[in-house]
Amino acid sequence: MKNPAPRRAPRLGRDDWIAAGQAVLCEAGIAGLRLSALTRRLHVSTGSFYHHFEDMEAYLAALARHFSRGDVKRILERAAAGASGPLSRIRRLAAISLNSTIWQLDRAMRVWATSDRRAAASVKASEKLVLAYLTDAFAELGFAPDDAALRAHLLLSANVALIGAFRLEGNRALFEQSLDFLTRDAPALAGAATRLDRGRPRS
């Protein structure tokens, strides 16, 4: 009886190369992102790479674009899909981000952006998407457009910037503290609290 022929490894697609690049970027930074590192991670030769990308520069451009056009958009869609209101949308965005690789990828992209205009453009585009998402949520909480935009900027800045002592209690604690501070005077929440108070029995 003949031995069955060995199975061929599935052919790699562009997304496989992008995912491998993101993993290397998170682990080793842009300095460690080399074709040799990618082929070692994927256990393939360079043939598959050149089937999808003209050269390393074309690959890096695709890798940068994917962050805002693919990863961040997908996270925002997931956060909005299961939310019950504006606060829920904001909290779901934080929870999904902290429980996925997007948090580490965002930091790696920001470091890369300091030396590469393609990465900088992608980070800027992703910030625009997130700020629009947050601004809409704050506006739904009853804040005027300018106030909603400012609160969105403050919340994003507080939870992206790496400022020593503010990180000692962890990302989740900082997020909850900053969100509570920025929403405690929300008109929509105040109205809900008033309605709840009116419905309570008097002693």
Side-chain angles (χ1 to χ4, degrees):
M1 183 176 180
K2 291 183 179 180
N3 292 327
R7 285 186 177 180
R8 289 185 177 181
R11 180 173 293 178
L12 296 177
R14 283 176 63 93
D15 286 348
D16 297 305
W17 287 99
I18 294 295
Q22 290 179 335
V24 173
L25 190 62
C26 290
E27 294 170 7
I30 190 60
L33 188 53
R34 299 287 183 267
L35 182 53
S36 56
L38 296 172
T39 54
R40 280 197 304 271
R41 176 174 287 272
L42 294 171
H43 306 290
V44 293
S45 66
T46 59
S48 173
F49 177 87
Y50 288 110
H51 177 73
H52 297 290
F53 306 97
E54 182 179 352
D55 53 27
M56 196 63 181
E57 285 303 303
Y59 172 74
L60 291 175
L63 182 66
R65 283 195 305 271
H66 195 277
F67 178 63
S68 58
R69 295 183 183 179
D71 301 295
V72 173
K73 277 188 175 180
R74 194 156 39 245
I75 291 289
L76 294 175
E77 288 168 0
R78 284 179 57 197
S84 57
L87 271 180
S88 175
R89 290 204 302 276
I90 297 174
R91 286 199 168 99
R92 275 184 58 80
L93 175 60
I96 293 171
S97 298
L98 291 170
N99 289 329
S100 71
T101 58
I102 195 71
W103 190 257
Q104 292 78 20
L105 182 58
D106 179 82
R107 293 186 180 184
M109 286 293 299
R110 289 178 185 279
V111 173
W112 182 19
T114 62
S115 61
D116 190 293
R117 60 180 176 79
R118 296 164 299 189
S122 187
V123 168
K124 185 176 181 180
S126 72
E127 285 181 346
K128 186 176 180 180
L129 290 171
V130 175
L131 286 171
Y133 179 96
L134 294 175
T135 298
D136 284 346
F138 279 114
E140 194 173 328
L141 285 167
F143 293 108
D146 287 349
D147 284 349
L150 176 59
R151 288 165 194 269
H153 274 82
L154 290 173
L155 184 62
L156 183 61
S157 298
N159 287 276
V160 168
L162 304 176
I163 307 176
F166 283 98
R167 290 286 174 187
L168 293 180
E169 295 183 23
N171 294 321
R172 295 176 193 279
L174 174 63
F175 168 77
E176 284 298 334
Q177 290 164 5
S178 53
L179 180 60
D180 175 68
F181 178 78
L182 293 168
T183 58
R184 64 180 56 169
D185 58 340
L189 296 181
T194 300
R195 289 192 297 274
L196 181 63
D197 186 60
R198 286 174 179 169
R200 288 175 182 164
R202 301 294 179 181
S203 56

